[in-house]
């Protein structure tokens, strides 16, 4: 099969097509003929040598795919063969075939294209487990999410709209602020022109937000804490601005704030399968009815994975970037 499997870290130019053996599904796994694969920020970090695959995962980048199940391993019902599916994987997506744990697969309804389906799993699993489970966001809350036009940000906007949560997002230009607002963000703040801490205080009447979903880290963390209401929750999911922060401990104690966070890729199959099962019950009915779709930026042929990474690194995209074998 054709795949993107760089031999050494580097810039986008290392993402060139190579030939690799078609993987074989083991017990509890399925083999997917890939129709599309999502591109995510962790793929860029892996390409640069800063985010190694977990033990046992494919060296091929790609954390989400959609396509048709063409073979199954032991302990998987043969009836799954032929089903259209999308799946969260720990690697292997940038290829014509990809192995996925059966429990991490979600079926693709007719109202969803394969490119749209491939753009769902990574951001859906991430936002659901962090904003709604770890951050306990619920109807009537107000939340702050950074990177409002990213894949994570656009998924957060969509889910908040569905579940009655007001969402304030930050974005890096007037155009992106307008795009986030058009997608349904309750408020959008241009962080390059405005102090988001002051704007959040203004928007919430000084009360603050119940949850902050942060992918920046570094010096954003103490600023985020100023945005939280009493008993607020700060959830970290990435550290693009730095892996360490200085925080005001007494203020955290006084206002009973919670600092937490998680990574998804290194969690075991049992956990991810439980999340998939919960999503199938709580969120997937909205997908089936056409009420939830990913925001799509651009699709690239698999052979142009380098261009897809260049677009992501340029930061001009709104929504998801997808590769099509």
């Amino acid at each position: 099969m054709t795949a993107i499997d760089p031999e050494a870290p580097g810039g986008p130019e290392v993402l060139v097509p190579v030939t690799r053996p078609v993987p074989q599904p083991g017990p509890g796994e399925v083999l997917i003929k890939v129709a599309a694969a999502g591109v995510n920020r962790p793929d860029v970090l892996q390409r640069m040598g800063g985010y190694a695959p977990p033990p046992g995962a494919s060296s091929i980048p790609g954390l989400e795919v959609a396509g048709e199940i063409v073979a199954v391993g032991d302990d998987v019902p043969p009836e799954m063969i032929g089903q259209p599916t999308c799946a969260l994987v720990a690697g292997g997506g940038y290829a014509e075939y990809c192995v996925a744990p059966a429990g991490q697969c979600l079926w693709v309804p007719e109202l969803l294209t394969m490119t749209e389906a491939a753009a769902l799993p990574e951001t859906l699993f991430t936002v659901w487990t962090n904003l709604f489970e770890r951050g306990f966001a619920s109807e009537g809350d107000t939340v702050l999410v950074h990177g409002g036009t990213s894949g994570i940000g656009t998924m957060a906007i969509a889910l908040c709209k569905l579940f009655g949560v007001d969402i304030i997002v930050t974005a890096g230009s007037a155009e992106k602020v307008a795009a986030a607002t058009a997608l349904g963000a309750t408020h959008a703040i241009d962080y390059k022109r405005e102090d988001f801490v002051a704007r959040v205080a203004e928007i919430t009447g000084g009360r603050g937000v119940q949850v902050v979903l942060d992918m920046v880290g570094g010096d954003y963390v103490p600023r985020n804490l100023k945005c939280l209401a009493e008993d607020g929750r700060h959830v970290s999911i990435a550290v693009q601005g730095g892996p360490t922060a200085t925080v005001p401990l007494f203020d955290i104690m006084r206002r009973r704030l919670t600092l937490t966070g998680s990574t998804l890729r290194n969690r075991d199959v049992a956990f991810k399968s439980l999340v998939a099962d919960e999503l199938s019950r709580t969120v997937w009915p909205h997908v089936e009815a056409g009420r939830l779709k990913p925001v799509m930026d651009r699709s690239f042929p698999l052979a142009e994975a380098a261009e897809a990474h260049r677009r992501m690194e340029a930061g001009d995209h709104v929504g998801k970037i997808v590769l099509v074998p």
Side-chain angles (χ1 to χ4, degrees):
M1 67 176 184
T2 299
I4 305 294
D5 189 13
E7 295 182 358
E13 68 278 0
V14 303
L15 301 177
V16 296
V18 295
T19 300
R20 292 289 183 266
V22 174
Q24 299 302 307
E29 295 179 333
V30 301
L31 178 66
I32 299 170
K33 181 176 173 57
V34 177
V39 177
N40 293 281
R41 185 68 61 175
D43 304 343
V44 174
L45 295 177
Q46 177 176 331
R47 188 206 76 220
M48 297 169 64
Y51 191 28
S58 172
S59 62
I60 297 170
L63 302 177
E64 57 187 349
V65 297
E68 179 184 338
I69 295 174
V70 294
V72 297
D74 294 339
D75 305 322
V76 178
E79 293 80 12
M80 291 187 72
I81 294 176
Q83 288 188 7
T85 192
C86 61
L88 181 75
V89 293
Y94 290 17
E96 292 181 306
Y97 292 89
C98 180
V99 163
Q104 293 172 206
C105 295
L106 293 162
W107 79 284
V108 178
E110 291 183 0
L111 292 177
L112 211 59
T113 67
M114 280 297 180
T115 52
E116 290 172 331
L120 274 175
E122 171 68 12
T123 55
L124 180 56
F125 276 68
T126 298
V127 174
W128 184 259
T129 56
N130 287 286
L131 185 59
F132 290 89
E133 291 190 336
R134 193 163 288 277
F136 299 103
S138 57
E139 185 175 1
D141 281 349
T142 301
V143 303
L144 170 64
V145 177
H146 293 295
T149 55
S150 67
I152 293 290
T154 54
M155 177 58 69
I157 291 170
L159 289 175
C160 285
K161 285 173 60 180
L162 284 174
F163 292 99
V165 177
D166 286 336
I167 178 169
I168 304 169
V169 302
T170 62
S173 69
E175 293 77 13
K176 288 192 172 186
V177 163
T181 303
L183 291 171
T186 316
H187 300 276
I189 301 167
D190 183 345
Y191 67 85
K192 291 183 178 179
R193 301 179 60 186
E194 300 178 286
D195 177 4
F196 73 80
V197 177
R199 285 287 289 126
V200 167
E202 179 184 347
I203 291 166
T204 63
R207 294 182 298 276
V209 299
Q210 280 69 49
V211 189
V212 174
L213 183 66
D214 178 57
M215 59 191 79
V216 182
D219 61 6
Y220 260 50
V221 176
R223 298 174 68 194
N224 291 336
L225 297 183
K226 293 179 180 179
C227 296
L228 283 174
E230 291 192 351
D231 297 296
R233 286 83 66 191
H234 183 284
V235 186
S236 297
I237 59 171
V239 289
Q240 295 174 20
T244 60
T246 300
V247 297
L249 289 177
F250 184 73
D251 192 50
I252 292 170
M253 296 158 56
R254 182 178 60 83
R255 297 197 290 132
R256 303 174 303 281
L257 306 181
T258 299
L259 276 68
T260 184
S262 74
T263 58
L264 181 61
R265 190 180 189 184
N266 63 348
R267 298 298 298 269
D268 60 25
V269 171
F271 171 79
K272 294 175 186 175
S273 297
L274 284 172
V275 176
D277 183 63
E278 183 171 358
L279 290 171
S280 71
R281 290 181 283 105
T282 58
V283 177
W284 219 244
H286 296 289
V287 177
E288 295 168 358
R291 292 188 294 268
L292 177 63
K293 287 189 175 185
V295 176
M296 305 301 293
D297 182 75
R298 282 185 61 184
S299 297
F300 292 84
L302 180 64
E304 296 179 16
E307 290 304 312
H309 274 225
R310 288 187 182 101
R311 179 159 181 81
M312 173 160 280
E313 289 184 273
D316 297 328
H317 61 291
V318 175
K320 293 289 294 197
I321 300 170
V322 172
L323 297 175
V324 179

